Structures are given as C-alpha cells and as structure tokens.
Amino acid sequence: MTAETKELTKKEAFLNYLLRLADDRLILGQRMSEWCGHGPQLEEDLAMANMALDLIGHATTLYEYAAEIEDEGHDEDYFAYFRDDRDFTNLQLCELPKGDFGFTIARQFLFSAFSYFQYERLKEAKDEQFAGMINKHLKEIKYHLRHSREWVLRLGDGTEESHNRIQESFDELWMYTDELFYMDEVDDLMIKEGMGVDSSEFKKEWKKLVEETLSEATLTVPDWDQFMMSGSRNGIHTEHLGHMLAQMQFLRRSHPDAEWK
Amino acid sequence: MTAETKELTKKEAFLNYLLRLADDRLILGQRMSEWCGHGPQLEEDLAMANMALDLIGHATTLYEYAAEIEDEGHDEDYFAYFRDDRDFTNLQLCELPKGDFGFTIARQFLFSAFSYFQYERLKEAKDEQFAGMINKHLKEIKYHLRHSREWVLRLGDGTEESHNRIQESFDELWMYTDELFYMDEVDDLMIKEGMGVDSSEFKKEWKKLVEETLSEATLTVPDWDQFMMSGSRNGIHTEHLGHMLAQMQFLRRSHPDAEWK
Amino acid sequence: MENQEKLNEFQARIDAGEKIEPKDWMPERYRQQLIRMMSQHAHSEIVGMLPEGNWIERAPSLKRKLVLLAKVQDEAGHGLYLYSATETLGIERDELVDQYLYGSAKYSSIFNYPTMTYADICAIGWLVDGAAIVNQTMLARSSYGPYSRANVRICKEESFHKKQGYEMLAKMADGTPEQQKMAQDSVNRWWWPSLMMFGPHDSDSPNSAELIKWQVKLKTNDELRQHFVDRMVMEAEAIGLTLPDPDLEYNEETGHWDFGDIPWDEFWNVVKGNGIMNRERMKARRAAHENGEWVREAANAYARKKKLQQEKAS
Amino acid sequence: MENQEKLNEFQARIDAGEKIEPKDWMPERYRQQLIRMMSQHAHSEIVGMLPEGNWIERAPSLKRKLVLLAKVQDEAGHGLYLYSATETLGIERDELVDQYLYGSAKYSSIFNYPTMTYADICAIGWLVDGAAIVNQTMLARSSYGPYSRANVRICKEESFHKKQGYEMLAKMADGTPEQQKMAQDSVNRWWWPSLMMFGPHDSDSPNSAELIKWQVKLKTNDELRQHFVDRMVMEAEAIGLTLPDPDLEYNEETGHWDFGDIPWDEFWNVVKGNGIMNRERMKARRAAHENGEWVREAANAYARKKKLQQEKAS
C-alpha cells in the first residue's frame, strides 16, 4: 500500500492551471446568475447579469484553450458539463450560496481584487494566446473590482443595517480567503515556465487593498489568523457544489448525444 | 393539420391510472423528505421522515405494478428517474415547494383526506393485486390524515401567529384543490372496468371533512368558487417540478449503465 | 375654447407626422395612455427576466448560457430605458414600480406561463419576441418621441433575440428525437399565448381608436396579429414544426393565413392574474423589491453622506 | 464520611456488575459525565441526519431513497430515546438542546465532513456506523441502566445500517469504473475521520480512567480503535477496496493490524469547530430550531386550551 507520485508534465500543469482559473469563474458566474430578476434594483440586475456574463465568458475561453492543450477531442462544454464535483477545482469561496446582496458583493470584491493582481502579472505569461486572453479579461475584472468596491463602501458606510450585514458577510467569508493564495506543484511548474504567478508576491498588496477598503467602509477587518479552509484545488468542496452541478449539468447529461450549441 | 385521437385501451388507462397515483406520492414524498433534519421538533422529524417513507414506498409499489402492466422491460426506477417533467402527471399541489411547517401540514391534510376517501373505494377494485396494495397503504394514509389533521387543529387554534400562518397556507393552496377531482377518459374507462373511482361521488364528503376541520381549527374556509388550476394530469406543471427532478434524477441519469439497487 | 384649439393644434402635429416631445403640450389623456402603455411595457421587460432566468442555471451548453444571460441583461436594460422614457411624462420610477408591485398596473400576461423545458426558451425567443417585435416595430413610429426612440433601440436587440431563439429551435427540430419532441411541444404550448399578446379583438379593445388617432399605435390588434401569423406560418414550415391550429389555411382572396378561434377564456383568465405562474412572478418581484430595500436605503444614505462631506469641503 | 461510604457502596455495586438506575444514589460527577456523554450521543444522532439528508433527494434508486429515509428516521428515533434516557438524570431536553445549539455541548465531529458523493453515504454506513457500533456495543454494557438499554436498541438498528452501507459500497466497488472510483474515493476520505471517532489517544484522554472505573466505558479509546481497524481491514479486502494507509500491516506478535499515524492536527481542528461543514451544520440546526419556535408555541398554546376546556367540563 504505497502511494506513487508521477512527475507532473508541463502540459498537465498548464491544463490544471487553466481549469482552476476557469472553474472559479464558471462557478462564481453561475452563482451570480442566480440573481437574475431578483436584484435589489434594476441597475444591479443589469450589473450582475453583466458580471455573470463576463465570468462565464472568461471561463468558456479558458476551457476552450484547456481543450486545445489537453488535445483529447474534448470541447469547452466537456469541462463544464461532464466533470463531477470531485473534479472541479474551484475555490470553495466561489461555490458558497449567493446569500444576500451584501454577501454577493463582499465575495465579488475579495475575488475580483485577487483576480486583478493575479491577471496583472499573468498577462505577461510566456504564451501568447494565454497572455492575450488574460489581457482581454483584465479590463472586465477591473470593472468588477471597481463596482464591487464601490458597493462595499456604500453598504459598509451606509445605514446601520447595511453596515452590520456586510460586516457579517466578510466575517463569514474570511476563512475561505486563504485558499486564494494556495500554491502547489502546478503553480511551481507554471512559474518556472514563465507562465504562472507566485501569488505570495502580491499577497501584501491584496491585503492592503482589502484592509484599506474595509477601513474606508468603516468595517472591521476580520482576524487573518483564524482557521482557514483548504482543499478545493484538490477537489474538496462544501455540500453546496453538488447541488449546483446537479442543476447545471442535468439537461446536458440527460441528452448526451444531442447538439446544443 | 388535424388531430387524431386513438381509442384508449384498458391497458393504457390502467398504466396511466397507476402512474398518476404513483407520481403524486413520489413528488409529495420527495418534498416531505426535504424536511429531514430541519423539522420544528424531533418528534416531527421522525413523523415527517415516516410519512415521506410511506409516500415513496407506496409510489414504488405502484410503479412496480405499472412496469408489470406496461410489460416493456422497465422497472419501477424507470418511471421515477427517466421520465421528464412533461411526462409526470402528479398534481401541482404535490410539487409546490415545502413552504413552512404549516404549509406542509395543510397540503398533507388536503391530500391525505382525498387519498383516504379515494382509497376507501379503490380497495374494492376488481384487480386483486391492485386492491391488495391499496388496502395495505390505506392504513398508513389514515395515520397521515390523523397526524396532519391534528396539526391543523393545533396550528389553527394555537397562537395568533400560527393561526395566521396556516390560514395563509390554506388560502394559497386552495386553487390547487380542484385538480384532486379532475377526471378524464382514463378515469372513465377505469370506472367502467370496476377498477377506478368516481371522485365526484365523494367530493361532498371530502369538502365536509375539510370544512369541519378548518372550522374546528377556527380557520376560514377559502372561497371554493375562485379560479382553479388545471392541467397537471396532462403534464402541465409549475416551474418548481423541473428543479426538483433535476436534483432527483441527476445522479441516476449521469450513470445510466450503473446498478444502484 | 383654448383647450380645443390646443387639441386641434396637437392633432395637426400628429397628423403631420411630427414627434411629440416631453416639453410639448399634450392632452392629459394622451399622457395617461402613454404612461399606462410604456410602464406596462417596462414592467413586462422586468417580469420577463423570470421565466428565462429559470433556465440560466440549466442551459445545456456554455454558449446557450451566455446567450441567455445576455438576453436577460438586455431585458433589464430595456426596462431601464423604458422607465426613463416614461419618467419624461412627469412620473417617478418608484411610483411606477409601486403601481405594478402593489397596485393595478399590468405586465404582459405571457410571462405567467411556466418555462417547463429548455425548448420553451427557444420558443419564447421565436414566438414571444417575434410578437413583441411586430408590436414594437410599429411603436418605433409612435408619435411620442421618447417612446418611439426607445422602441427603435429595443427592436434591434429583440430581433437578435428572436433570431437566436429561432436558430436554436431549428436545431432542436433537426436534432435527436427527444429534442424534436421538446421543440414541438413548446410550440404547441406557446403558439396561442403568443397570439394573445396582441390583445383582444379590435371590437373588444376600447382604447384602440383613440391610440390610433394619436398615432401612439399605428395599427389595430387584429392587423398586427394577422401580420404575425402570416410570418410565423412560413417560419414554422421552414424548420419543420407544426403550429397547433387545425384551422390554419391560406386565404387566396385576402392573401393572408386564416386561423382558428383564439381561446379567449384562457386569455381573460390569465389577464386577470390566473396564469399558472402569476402568483409566483409577483411573489418573486415583490421579494426582490422588499429584500432589496436595505440596499437601496444604504445607497441613499451613503450618497447623502458623501454630498454633505463635499459641501463641507467646498 | 457518609459520602465516602456511599461512594464505596456505589463502586461495589458497579464492580459487582449491577446496573445503576435513575432513582439510585450516584456521585454527582458520575451524573455529570453521563449527561455529557449521553447528550453528546443524542446531539450526534440529530446532526447526523444532515449529511445523510443531503442525499435523500438525489439517491440513485427508489430503493436507496427508501433505505436512506428509513435510516434518517431511525436516527431521529435514537435522538429521541437518548434524550429521554438523559432526562432520567434530572435535566430537561430543552436545556440539553440549548447547550448544544448555543452553548458548548459537542456532537461527533465526523458530521462536519461533507457528503460529496453518494458513495459517501455508503462509506458512512460502513465506516461511521461501523465505528459507532464498536463504541455502542461496549456502551450497551454500560453501568447506567437507561443508557445501557438505549444502546442495546440502537446497536440493533445501527448494525442494519452498517450492513446496508457495506453492501451498497460492495456493489459500487464491483460496478462501473465511475462507481469504483467513487467508492474508493469515499473510503479514502472517510477512513481517517472514522478512526478519529474513538477520540484521542488514551494518553490524551483525561476522562477515560474514571469512566472505566465506573464502567460507563469498558474499554479505552485505543482498544476500541484497534478492534475497529482489525475488523475493517478484513471487510475492505473482502470487497476489493483499499484503505488509505500505507503503514497498515499485520503484526504477528500482537495478532492485530498496526496502522499509521492519525492526523491529530486535523482531529483537533475539526473538534474545535473548524470542519468544512461545521458552521453549516450549526446554522441548519439553529435555523430548524428557531423556525420551529412558532410551531412549538402553537402546540403548547393548544394543549393549554384543551386542558382548560377539559377541566371546565369536568
């Protein structure tokens, strides 16, 4: 009963890297799209549909490239519709139920801030096609960051109720933030190849942006030293993901031979 | 562009009759099982798991018999897992989301009262196997009726809050009650063959039981003459059913070749 | 009478094909009719997000998910500029929203039917957006400037939605047996409701004459409906789907397709709020509004604070 | 000292294998330890409904749905009679529930792991119920009468649950490649947590000696764990699944299976409430309790009214 570990190839690492990026965006976009028609005001229905569209659009492009890299005849839909929850490598942060508007905003802010720093570096990746799509998505990420940051300020420094609500959301989300900076041999190899980013390099900057925003929003920064969740990059998830995938994949899986594009 | 109608055979009618009975019970049982671990007190967790078990158990037996009658090599799971929402003929009443405890109780009471009168007559059906299972299930239906009726009294005549809540539930449910008494050529043929019941025969009794119970519970009987929903026996459903089926059938459909019994 | 003079002048402008703009004089009744129509149009765009939103999570491919999201986003956008256009008539959006959530304002009753299968999304794109386009193409020439311009913009996007729905429906009609069945079933369910979207027969439509006189509408309900039917018969045939009306027949004399009796009982029932999803739609919209109150309050409080700070600083 | 005399007498009864009954004298510390253990056992049955309830809707066959429902129903039943048994020690169920929902009372931390796949339901039946049975078989001989009898009853049902889980897991291990993968993956994830169910090493278990002296427990954590491992190794082999411990090795000398180091860091983390589902479980149970308050109040109000009516009538 011994475990053997094979050396990770560059191709495998890249595939994994793309899937992690894509899974985050698909799952978060799927959550965001649950707001459709249920937003607090029409402008936000529009903004949230827009962000969902961006996120799922980014995921689609990343999956397409993953299919190309994998080179086994799959298409982008394969990764979204025919993998199980143990195969998904999205952050637990992204799969948590949408909560109230404040929760959605707080999560989007934390995630977009991370994506921003990550993409700012990733756009220099030594793979033209990859760097190209990252660069293209970055513009939209900046909008997500600005939009969610503005709402953090409004809710934090709005009324007593909104202050308390979004404070509670940040408190709840905190233990899922450490995973943003998780790195393993996939990252190591990608960094070595000039294709990945070392997230520890911008952790300080990210923290600073988060802390300054929360402080400007008159919010308390939760304890960074609390227990932090882990495991999602290896397919460990909350029970929420399975239910989401059941809805998301049901129709497609029910008709495996049908064409839906 | 003309629509042709084939004469309904006895076999088709019986198959449909069994499926309608079974679908009601599976879908209602599925809703009831959502209470698992979320009941208002432990005794009710037990009671609701028990009722869900009965309902889904009855559905299973009915589907088994349906498979036998149909004689096309299907088993009971086929009917539960491989039909789409347009194929399901359960009452809309059964598919509505579980609501609060009062809603669940009010629905269960209306449905159990109907089942009670229906099964009291169906147990005389001229098909020994069918009559036998009906007779067996009747005992459990009586318990469901007693249990839900007692709770209608407690909630109706309990506190002001509970009174208002369950009153609202009955008000909401009312427009789904007419379908209980829906009859078409399937029923006609079954009645002719001595296998079905004419529900108009006991509509008065059912109404009386419902009205007396609501009155004893100090509740107002909603308007019988309001607009009433229809269509479910022909596969017309609310948007809720599709989401439920996605969860219910997902795993099974994802692995069509796997054995799960 | 000065009023009659103004009215004549107004009518002359209309008859000359001029657009009426917000600052222009207009009869109170004209204003009220427009508020009713435009806000109903806006509410419909908003409620319309719900039956479609119902399938975003379950869309069967990433592409279809994106298409649907973009469509719903457009609808929110339409809602927004229709409310803005209505506000030019001197009424606030808050009041309009209040009228439809808690008052008697209506939205298109088509959205009280459930989307039971994914094919319904395609059928809605084809039939419901198709019917809406017929209507809105006319409204793009409406006498009220802001409404006319809003419809020009809306029509462009709706045409795109219709095309996407039609194409996917065509693919399904040409797909697996299950897809074909689903597609035909959707058309069977959505055909009559889409005909009802044009409203009652002209003979039962009391507002029509006045609206046409004012060129708010340029055609009657029955004219629009006939135009729609003629077009859809061809489009259905082209993709091999059957319209569920045994009385559909080409009339050589009129050059139009005759069609069967519309189930008006159902129409009036659904209009009265008895559609299968009516209560759910209102519940969902009210919940969205009420659950969002703290958010809107926070945004207002924040804006006030910032304004105050700026004033102090300057 | 009378107290010491009583203590000696009490110990003598224990040593003679007599059962202690509710009305008998018992040391306060004995009572407190039992309340802690028994209520924790009860809470665990209740919380245990959640990870399993998570798969009732999605169970892959009607049979498996019924099996799972029956199991969850049994667990509610166990909870009920364990609370009753605990109440014989002079504490109300309300207070116990309060202690675990809002206070410091614990439940088995195994339930803070998520059930990610249906195979987890089978693995729980086999490993988690399997571990529980080892524990409860011992507790069925516990010195406190009501607890002992409760465990006799529980064990019978748990054995059935374990059998059902094991059988389905065996079918999966012998099923399609996907089923096999799912089954092995579940065992990989649940193996170590199930070993942790026996609690810390004897050396880190301060209560053990006292509990054994009083025959509340009859064996130490490590003894029970070893018993469990020996059994599971055989059962895993029988159905072709691998236990995720490269150090598992039969020890000829002791006649037992040696096993690797338990990840105690994880154990203590989960005990401290840092399991992946810990917060969700507490949220779900608190919500159930709080959302059910109006129901319990109504039932009480109704009972009072009825009592009053009866008193008036008589």
Side-chain angles (χ1 to χ4, degrees), chain B residues 16 19-20 23-24 27 83-92 95 179 182 184 186 230-242 245, chain C residues 114-117 120 181 185-186 189 276:
Chain B
N16 268 303
L19 290 179
R20 288 176 182 182
D23 288 348
D24 283 348
I27 299 301
R83 289 185 307 146
D84 295 323
D85 64 349
R86 290 286 284 123
D87 306 318
F88 270 80
T89 54
N90 62 279
L91 298 165
Q92 288 169 16
E95 77 204 31
E179 279 208 310
Y182 171 86
D184 60 13
V186 169
S230 60
S232 60
R233 294 304 188 202
N234 298 305
I236 298 296
H237 296 284
T238 67
E239 284 168 4
H240 304 296
L241 183 63
L245 295 184
Chain C
T115 48
M116 292 184 59
T117 72
D120 289 0
K181 194 178 145 198
D185 173 59
S186 284
R189 281 182 290 110
I276 189 166

Side-chain angles (χ1 to χ4, degrees), chain D residues 301-312:
Chain D
Y302 182 79
R304 275 196 305 274
K305 279 187 209 175
K306 289 294 125 178
K307 209 180 148 203
L308 219 64
Q309 282 171 10
Q310 276 178 343
E311 285 169 2
K312 270 192 191 161

